């Protein structure tokens, strides 16, 4: 089986701050990869490199057989034309910590924006699928509401529906529940778990360790720009090898007891 | 010594003021349109990733803001023909010069408006495959427009008043019409006072609208 995403020795600096120091990860189709790690370890940056919201300096990211963001030539490589990067992005959904719904549009308009404006799907077709998705994430009754009138959990579920509307092959989640009140975390995690059960390929950055253990096929622990440990959820949570993983888990498991 | 005001003598000359006001509004509207067309790319370009674009836009904005509008007008009127061999009519000169002039200020309004929208909105728009201009048009500008409208209206009112500079190159806008009228009826006090009133009547509604909107938006936040 060939990987859907292949990250090969990727390096990335902001000025003199090297944030990714050679990260290699492969994600198989239908796999759920959970990324954990301390604040500032480069998790968000890594996710943004995968759909080229951030450039990367060295290494390669291959999504669905295509190099992300660059065109290679004899001299090295250049930034790929925007149209090619957009083509890749159409197939990668991204869910943000702060939802980033479009506030001037209703929930339904948020969900059909991509299909209609980017993919050129007819409006009626887009609405039909949007209604299906909104039902799936439990927001059928909110389809005409403005995002600002929704709870955080509802906003995040709407954002998930917006991503799914593009029929992506891969979903990226960057701390999807970190901005939520504890009582709203469960509904969002349940939605994500539903996607996992349907076989969606996902990379999820989260601090919800119980959820990670439950939903992940594989867990990666990032520390200071490298993958410090990579293992099955059982292994990493019961028997972490690296000292840094042990320290990190001891710290977060003590202070966070939110169960999905 | 008391001056005997005689506004009634102006009454018969009202067509002159109407004619002048039409020219003034025409120059204002067309140059405002030009300013919008120039301002958006210039404002966006000032933050562009490619440095030559950034450079051109910054130089344009700073040169315009650093020189008086009157100098820009006479430069286009007198220097452009010598350099390029094209002589623009007075009115066209005014439209082009004021369009370029206001464009620099409008660029700043666009830039600030776009910057006022949460960066996450761009990220979200890009993540569903939108291009830069598409995100701007569909996602960013509709949100930025709220903050941009009051300064736009202000800029429009400024533009209206700047049209009087056209008299320097003999464009028949309000001030120039007034000067001509004075030359024939020798009533400068009445004419200039009335001119001020006319300008105030045209300009103030815009200023008032901008104030109202600004207050409403503040309350809305
Ligand atoms: N746009 C940027 N410009 C400069 N530095 C940045 C930028 N984005 C991130 N960084 C830096 O890169 C490092 C890694 O950031 P990143 O957001 O990837 O970490 P993270 O693992 O997602 O952390 P958190 O758990 O807090 O979200 C941090 O030191 C951060 O300050
Ligand atoms: Mg992060």
């Amino acid at each position: 089986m060939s990987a859907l995403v292949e990250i090969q020795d990727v390096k990335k600096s902001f000025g003199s701050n090297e944030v990714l120091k050679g990260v290699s990860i492969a994600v198989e189709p239908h796999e759920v990869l959970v990324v954990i790690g301390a604040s500032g370890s480069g998790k968000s940056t890594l996710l943004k490199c995968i759909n080229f919201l951030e450039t990367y300096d060295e290494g390669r990211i291959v999504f669905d057989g295509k190099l992300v963001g660059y065109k290679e030539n004899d001299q090295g490589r250049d930034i790929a034309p925007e149209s090619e990067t957009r083509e890749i992005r159409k197939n990668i959904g991204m869910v943000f910590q702060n939802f980033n719904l479009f506030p001037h549009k209703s929930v339904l308009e948020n969900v059909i924006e991509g299909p209609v404006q980017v993919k050129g799907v007819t409006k009626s077709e887009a609405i039909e699928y949007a209604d299906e998705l909104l039902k799936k994430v439990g927001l059928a009754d909110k389809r005409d509401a403005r995002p600002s009138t929704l709870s955080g959990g509802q906003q995040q579920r709407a954002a998930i529906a917006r991503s799914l509307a593009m029929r992506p092959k891969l979903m990226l989640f960057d701390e999807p529940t970190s901005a939520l009140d504890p009582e709203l975390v469960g509904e969002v995690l349940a939605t994500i778990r539903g996607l996992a059960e349907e076989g969606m390929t996902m990379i999820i950055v989260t601090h919800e360790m119980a959820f990670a253990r439950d939903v992940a096929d594989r867990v990666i622990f990032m520390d200071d720009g490298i993958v410090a440990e990579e293992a099955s959820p059982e292994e990493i949570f019961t028997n972490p090898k690296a000292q840094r993983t042990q320290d990190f888990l001891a710290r977060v498991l003590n202070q966070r007891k939110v169960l999905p | 010594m008391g001056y005997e005001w005689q506004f009634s003598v102006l009454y018969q000359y009202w067509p002159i003021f109407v004619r002048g006001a039409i020219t003034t509004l025409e120059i204002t509207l067309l140059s405002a349109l030009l300013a919008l067309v120039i301002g958006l790319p210039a404002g966006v370009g000032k933050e562009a990733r490619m440095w030559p674009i950034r450079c051109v836009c910054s130089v344009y904005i700073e040169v315009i803001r650093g020189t008086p509008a009157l100098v820009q007008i006479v430069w286009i009127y007198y220097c452009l023909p010598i350099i390029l061999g094209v002589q623009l009519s007075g009115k066209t000169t005014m439209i082009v010069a004021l369009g370029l002039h206001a464009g620099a200020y409008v660029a700043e309004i666009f830039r600030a408006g776009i910057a006022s929208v949460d960066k996450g909105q761009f990220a979200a728009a890009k993540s569903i495959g939108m291009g830069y201009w598409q995100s701007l048009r569909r996602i960013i500008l509709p949100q930025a427009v709220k903050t941009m409208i009051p300064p736009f209206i202000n800029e429009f009112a400024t533009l209206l008043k700047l049209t009087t500079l056209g008299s320097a190159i003999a464009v028949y806008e309000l001030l120039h019409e007034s000067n001509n009228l004075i030359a024939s009826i020798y009533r400068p006090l009445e004419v200039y006072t009335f001119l001020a009133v006319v300008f105030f009547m045209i300009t103030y509604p815009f200023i008032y609208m901008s104030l109202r909107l600004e207050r409403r938006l503040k309350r809305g936040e």
Side-chain angles (χ1 to χ4, degrees):
Chain A
M1 199 158 55
S2 75
L4 181 63
V5 189
E6 194 144 6
I7 302 169
Q8 302 159 350
D9 204 23
V10 163
K11 296 180 183 169
K12 162 82 183 171
S13 300
F14 289 109
S16 61
N17 179 16
E18 192 172 35
V19 174
L20 300 176
K21 301 175 178 172
V23 173
S24 300
I25 301 169
V27 185
E28 305 295 326
H30 311 300
E31 193 181 16
V32 177
L33 179 75
V34 167
V35 180
I36 60 174
S39 182
S41 55
K43 308 181 296 294
S44 297
T45 306
L46 181 66
L47 281 195
K48 286 184 199 147
C49 287
I50 296 173
N51 65 356
F52 214 60
L53 287 186
E54 283 290 356
T55 58
Y56 50 97
D57 308 325
E58 280 177 58
R60 304 171 89 240
I61 297 178
V62 178
F63 170 78
D64 206 14
K66 288 178 287 275
L67 181 66
V68 173
Y70 295 100
K71 266 222 144 2
E72 286 170 331
N73 54 34
D74 303 339
Q75 281 82 46
R77 65 190 188 189
D78 297 314
I79 301 262
E82 198 191 31
S83 59
E84 286 179 26
T85 301
R86 289 176 64 185
E87 211 48 53
I88 289 175
R89 284 185 188 140
K90 285 186 205 171
N91 291 302
I92 303 180
M94 186 169 219
V95 174
F96 304 86
Q97 186 173 342
N98 298 316
F99 332 130
N100 293 344
L101 287 170
F102 307 134
H104 58 302
K105 293 182 183 293
S106 71
V107 168
L108 181 71
E109 287 167 341
N110 265 274
V111 177
I112 64 170
E113 181 71 12
V116 173
Q117 297 299 327
V118 177
K119 277 183 136 179
V121 172
T122 64
K123 203 164 173 187
S124 59
E125 212 176 309
I127 290 176
E128 197 176 314
Y129 189 45
D131 280 331
E132 198 179 305
L133 289 171
L134 288 174
K135 206 162 129 203
K136 185 154 112 183
V137 300
L139 288 177
D141 55 330
K142 297 289 181 193
R143 88 199 270 272
D144 299 314
R146 285 290 166 117
S148 58
T149 65
L150 305 184
S151 73
Q154 291 170 331
Q155 289 189 49
Q156 193 59 298
R157 285 183 283 142
I160 292 171
R162 177 178 67 184
S163 290
L164 291 175
M166 294 296 288
R167 302 181 191 267
K169 293 181 180 161
L170 169 72
M171 286 286 285
L172 306 174
F173 291 86
D174 191 0
E175 300 194 30
T177 60
S178 291
L180 300 178
D181 292 334
E183 70 272 19
L184 301 177
V185 168
E187 59 192 62
V188 171
L189 295 184
T191 304
I192 300 173
R193 189 177 294 118
L195 293 178
E197 280 158 11
E198 287 173 16
M200 176 63 78
T201 314
M202 300 194 277
I203 303 179
I204 306 171
V205 173
T206 185
H207 288 302
E208 300 291 341
M209 294 305 153
F211 171 70
R213 186 168 180 170
D214 178 49
V215 79
D217 294 314
R218 207 149 42 101
V219 177
I220 274 176
F221 171 65
M222 279 191 67
D223 184 62
D224 198 20
I226 58 159
V227 175
E229 188 158 353
E230 174 179 345
S232 71
E234 290 75 32
E235 254 173 59
I236 213 157
F237 289 114
T238 54
N239 186 21
K241 303 256 167 354
Q243 184 61 44
R244 288 157 157 187
T245 318
Q246 293 171 16
D247 295 345
F248 173 76
L249 287 174
R251 212 164 58 236
V252 295
L253 292 177
N254 274 333
Q255 70 195 26
R256 284 193 168 238
K257 292 247 184 303
V258 182
L259 291 170
Chain B
M1 196 184 83
Y3 179 80
E4 216 171 296
W5 294 86
Q6 288 189 11
F7 280 107
S8 56
V9 301
L10 295 183
Y11 185 73
Q12 64 182 116
Y13 298 107
W14 66 266
I16 292 180
F17 287 99
V18 170
R19 201 170 62 197
I22 287 172
T23 305
T24 289
L25 281 172
E26 203 181 337
I27 293 171
T28 309
L29 284 173
L30 290 174
S31 58
L33 212 63
L34 182 60
L36 286 175
V37 171
I38 297 172
L40 179 59
V44 168
K46 202 183 170 204
E47 312 262 286
R49 199 177 299 174
M50 279 179 285
W51 70 265
I53 297 177
R54 217 165 47 228
C55 227
V56 168
C57 295
S58 298
V59 166
Y60 159 65
I61 292 171
E62 298 316 324
V63 165
I64 294 289
R65 296 206 297 178
T67 51
L70 182 56
V71 173
Q72 292 157 15
I73 291 163
V74 296
W75 197 91
I76 289 178
Y77 196 63
Y78 295 112
C79 300
L80 214 54
I82 298 170
I83 297 172
L84 294 180
V86 277
Q87 174 68 64
L88 301 177
S89 73
K91 204 198 241 173
T92 311
T93 299
M94 285 307 290
I95 292 165
V96 170
L98 290 184
L100 283 169
H101 178 82
Y105 293 88
V106 167
E108 279 299 303
I109 298 172
F110 272 118
R111 193 197 54 72
I114 290 165
S116 75
V117 177
D118 180 17
K119 290 277 164 294
Q121 292 290 312
F122 263 122
K126 278 187 184 172
S127 78
I128 56 170
M130 285 192 166
Y132 182 80
W133 290 100
Q134 197 179 19
S135 329
L136 213 55
R137 184 168 56 83
R138 303 229 14 121
I139 307 300
I140 307 299
L141 288 178
Q143 295 179 58
V145 104
K146 267 198 315 194
T147 55
M148 295 189 308
I149 284 177
F152 271 149
I153 296 174
N154 265 324
E155 190 51 40
F156 189 79
T158 304
L159 210 44
L160 247 167
K161 292 180 277 181
L162 284 174
T163 55
T164 51
L165 297 174
S167 63
I169 55 170
V171 175
Y172 284 86
E173 44 66 57
L174 274 169
L175 178 59
H176 195 61
E177 293 278 17
S178 304
N179 285 337
N180 283 355
L181 184 59
I182 290 163
S184 61
I185 65 171
Y186 313 109
R187 285 277 166 194
L189 285 185
E190 284 83 353
V191 172
Y192 285 142
T193 307
F194 186 63
L195 176 66
V197 171
V198 170
F199 259 108
F200 186 77
M201 285 190 324
I202 302 177
T203 316
Y204 191 72
F206 292 106
I207 294 175
Y208 180 74
M209 203 156 66
S210 147
L211 283 174
R212 278 283 302 272
L213 267 170
E214 213 161 341
R215 226 173 294 149
R216 168 124 46 102
L217 292 175
K218 251 186 213 129
R219 239 182 297 131
E221 297 300 277

